[in-house]
Amino acid sequence: MRYGIFSDVHSNLEALGAVIKAYEPESIDKYLCIGDSVGYAANPNECIAKIRALETISVAGNHDWASINLFSLDNLNQLARQAILWTKNCLNLESMALLEGFNLVYKDEYLTLVHGSLDRPQEFQYTYNSEDAWATFNILETKLCFIGHSHIPGIFIRDITDNIRYLEEPSIEIKEYNNYIINVGSVGQPRDGNPKAAFCIYDTDTGVIEIKRVAYNVEETRNKIINAGLPRRLGDRLLIGE
Ligand code: ZN
């Protein structure tokens, strides 16, 4: 089985289009999305339609929930809040129905998906360090947990002695006795200083997990954000990946 796993599209249609194209030669059997399909950029309905067309299984992110009134705007910073208010006005009924159907956690025989942390997933806590990772490892029932939310790709590894390491490698081969939390980064708003869209492939036969990057038309996305009346900063930050 080859999974295509991505997160934090944030209404960025150009980035999502580039990622879908990059997945095409990869023989993906199943697509998984770790939340935040909307918020920040100017094409929420178009992104949701594309994600749906891939028959993607999706969990909810804080922006998904905020845009359908399931998560308080008080939890968001000023820029995020402005974008969610804009998004709420823009979402069609079909998109809203899809967002309402997202669960907070997905689990199958190979992996678990959660937007921020398995510990109280409805609070969308960040997993930045070993202590944060521990909260998820502690209750993880599968070998692997894929997350998003911080928009920074990276891998936490817990070994058999309960030691936790953090790696920023573009690929890793999973080992029998370890557990892993893999942050797949962000399709639509990378924050690791690399403006290219991030996406992940997990091959259950080889045990290899790859986090790949693909360039897209950032200028076009930025122009759409500005022309839509969204905060200019949301367009500018895409140019430098922050
Ligand atoms: Zn996000």
PDB file of all heavy atoms in Angstrom, residues 8 10 36 40 62-63 115 149 151 191, ligand 1:
ATOM      1  N   ASP A   8      -2.582  20.787   5.809  1.00  0.00           N
ATOM      2  CA  ASP A   8      -2.509  22.244   5.806  1.00  0.00           C
ATOM      3  C   ASP A   8      -2.435  22.846   4.395  1.00  0.00           C
ATOM      4  O   ASP A   8      -1.513  23.592   4.070  1.00  0.00           O
ATOM      5  CB  ASP A   8      -1.340  22.703   6.692  1.00  0.00           C
ATOM      6  CG  ASP A   8      -1.575  22.330   8.157  1.00  0.00           C
ATOM      7  OD1 ASP A   8      -2.199  23.117   8.877  1.00  0.00           O
ATOM      8  OD2 ASP A   8      -1.193  21.211   8.566  1.00  0.00           O
ATOM      9  N   HIS A  10      -4.797  24.895   3.318  1.00  0.00           N
ATOM     10  CA  HIS A  10      -5.152  26.288   3.585  1.00  0.00           C
ATOM     11  C   HIS A  10      -5.603  27.064   2.345  1.00  0.00           C
ATOM     12  O   HIS A  10      -5.140  28.194   2.095  1.00  0.00           O
ATOM     13  CB  HIS A  10      -3.991  27.013   4.283  1.00  0.00           C
ATOM     14  CG  HIS A  10      -3.869  26.653   5.735  1.00  0.00           C
ATOM     15  ND1 HIS A  10      -4.841  26.933   6.651  1.00  0.00           N
ATOM     16  CD2 HIS A  10      -2.885  26.002   6.426  1.00  0.00           C
ATOM     17  CE1 HIS A  10      -4.479  26.491   7.840  1.00  0.00           C
ATOM     18  NE2 HIS A  10      -3.299  25.903   7.728  1.00  0.00           N
ATOM     19  N   ASP A  36      -6.936  21.216   8.090  1.00  0.00           N
ATOM     20  CA  ASP A  36      -6.726  22.596   7.645  1.00  0.00           C
ATOM     21  C   ASP A  36      -6.683  22.707   6.117  1.00  0.00           C
ATOM     22  O   ASP A  36      -5.746  23.263   5.533  1.00  0.00           O
ATOM     23  CB  ASP A  36      -5.478  23.221   8.289  1.00  0.00           C
ATOM     24  CG  ASP A  36      -5.766  23.735   9.693  1.00  0.00           C
ATOM     25  OD1 ASP A  36      -6.911  23.569  10.170  1.00  0.00           O
ATOM     26  OD2 ASP A  36      -4.859  24.312  10.314  1.00  0.00           O
ATOM     27  N   TYR A  40      -6.700  31.095   5.335  1.00  0.00           N
ATOM     28  CA  TYR A  40      -5.518  31.819   4.827  1.00  0.00           C
ATOM     29  C   TYR A  40      -5.579  32.240   3.352  1.00  0.00           C
ATOM     30  O   TYR A  40      -5.456  33.418   3.067  1.00  0.00           O
ATOM     31  CB  TYR A  40      -4.207  31.065   5.079  1.00  0.00           C
ATOM     32  CG  TYR A  40      -3.818  30.945   6.527  1.00  0.00           C
ATOM     33  CD1 TYR A  40      -3.356  29.741   7.048  1.00  0.00           C
ATOM     34  CD2 TYR A  40      -3.910  32.041   7.393  1.00  0.00           C
ATOM     35  CE1 TYR A  40      -2.992  29.630   8.393  1.00  0.00           C
ATOM     36  CE2 TYR A  40      -3.553  31.924   8.723  1.00  0.00           C
ATOM     37  CZ  TYR A  40      -3.097  30.728   9.217  1.00  0.00           C
ATOM     38  OH  TYR A  40      -2.748  30.606  10.536  1.00  0.00           O
ATOM     39  N   ASN A  62      -7.901  22.876  13.111  1.00  0.00           N
ATOM     40  CA  ASN A  62      -8.517  23.995  13.826  1.00  0.00           C
ATOM     41  C   ASN A  62      -9.191  24.992  12.882  1.00  0.00           C
ATOM     42  O   ASN A  62     -10.260  25.530  13.176  1.00  0.00           O
ATOM     43  CB  ASN A  62      -7.500  24.692  14.736  1.00  0.00           C
ATOM     44  CG  ASN A  62      -6.192  25.030  14.057  1.00  0.00           C
ATOM     45  OD1 ASN A  62      -5.704  24.278  13.208  1.00  0.00           O
ATOM     46  ND2 ASN A  62      -5.590  26.154  14.416  1.00  0.00           N
ATOM     47  N   HIS A  63      -8.592  25.216  11.700  1.00  0.00           N
ATOM     48  CA  HIS A  63      -9.203  26.152  10.752  1.00  0.00           C
ATOM     49  C   HIS A  63     -10.470  25.568  10.121  1.00  0.00           C
ATOM     50  O   HIS A  63     -11.424  26.298   9.860  1.00  0.00           O
ATOM     51  CB  HIS A  63      -8.200  26.551   9.657  1.00  0.00           C
ATOM     52  CG  HIS A  63      -7.084  27.401  10.172  1.00  0.00           C
ATOM     53  ND1 HIS A  63      -6.961  28.743   9.860  1.00  0.00           N
ATOM     54  CD2 HIS A  63      -6.055  27.117  11.002  1.00  0.00           C
ATOM     55  CE1 HIS A  63      -5.889  29.225  10.466  1.00  0.00           C
ATOM     56  NE2 HIS A  63      -5.321  28.259  11.160  1.00  0.00           N
ATOM     57  N   HIS A 115      -4.514  16.135  13.654  1.00  0.00           N
ATOM     58  CA  HIS A 115      -3.968  17.416  13.193  1.00  0.00           C
ATOM     59  C   HIS A 115      -2.815  17.911  14.071  1.00  0.00           C
ATOM     60  O   HIS A 115      -1.744  18.246  13.568  1.00  0.00           O
ATOM     61  CB  HIS A 115      -5.075  18.466  13.141  1.00  0.00           C
ATOM     62  CG  HIS A 115      -4.652  19.752  12.491  1.00  0.00           C
ATOM     63  ND1 HIS A 115      -4.236  19.825  11.192  1.00  0.00           N
ATOM     64  CD2 HIS A 115      -4.556  21.022  12.976  1.00  0.00           C
ATOM     65  CE1 HIS A 115      -3.911  21.070  10.890  1.00  0.00           C
ATOM     66  NE2 HIS A 115      -4.091  21.811  11.957  1.00  0.00           N
ATOM     67  N   HIS A 149      -0.238  20.834  11.361  1.00  0.00           N
ATOM     68  CA  HIS A 149      -0.520  21.938  12.290  1.00  0.00           C
ATOM     69  C   HIS A 149       0.603  22.961  12.426  1.00  0.00           C
ATOM     70  O   HIS A 149       0.348  24.153  12.324  1.00  0.00           O
ATOM     71  CB  HIS A 149      -0.897  21.372  13.654  1.00  0.00           C
ATOM     72  CG  HIS A 149      -1.621  22.319  14.567  1.00  0.00           C
ATOM     73  ND1 HIS A 149      -2.390  23.368  14.111  1.00  0.00           N
ATOM     74  CD2 HIS A 149      -1.702  22.362  15.933  1.00  0.00           C
ATOM     75  CE1 HIS A 149      -2.906  24.010  15.157  1.00  0.00           C
ATOM     76  NE2 HIS A 149      -2.506  23.429  16.260  1.00  0.00           N
ATOM     77  N   HIS A 151       3.163  23.288  10.416  1.00  0.00           N
ATOM     78  CA  HIS A 151       3.658  23.601   9.063  1.00  0.00           C
ATOM     79  C   HIS A 151       5.174  23.417   8.942  1.00  0.00           C
ATOM     80  O   HIS A 151       5.800  23.977   8.047  1.00  0.00           O
ATOM     81  CB  HIS A 151       3.278  25.023   8.621  1.00  0.00           C
ATOM     82  CG  HIS A 151       1.806  25.304   8.627  1.00  0.00           C
ATOM     83  ND1 HIS A 151       1.251  26.336   7.911  1.00  0.00           N
ATOM     84  CD2 HIS A 151       0.760  24.688   9.230  1.00  0.00           C
ATOM     85  CE1 HIS A 151      -0.064  26.364   8.103  1.00  0.00           C
ATOM     86  NE2 HIS A 151      -0.378  25.374   8.911  1.00  0.00           N
ATOM     87  N   ARG A 191       6.248  26.819   6.677  1.00  0.00           N
ATOM     88  CA  ARG A 191       6.846  27.783   7.622  1.00  0.00           C
ATOM     89  C   ARG A 191       8.254  27.369   8.029  1.00  0.00           C
ATOM     90  O   ARG A 191       8.723  27.728   9.112  1.00  0.00           O
ATOM     91  CB  ARG A 191       5.976  27.892   8.880  1.00  0.00           C
ATOM     92  CG  ARG A 191       4.625  28.533   8.617  1.00  0.00           C
ATOM     93  CD  ARG A 191       3.803  28.622   9.895  1.00  0.00           C
ATOM     94  NE  ARG A 191       2.402  28.930   9.600  1.00  0.00           N
ATOM     95  CZ  ARG A 191       1.399  28.662  10.410  1.00  0.00           C
ATOM     96  NH1 ARG A 191       1.615  28.066  11.566  1.00  0.00           N
ATOM     97  NH2 ARG A 191       0.159  28.966  10.069  1.00  0.00           N
TER      98      ARG A 191
HETATM   99 ZN    ZN B   1      -2.540  24.939   9.548  1.00  0.00          ZN
END
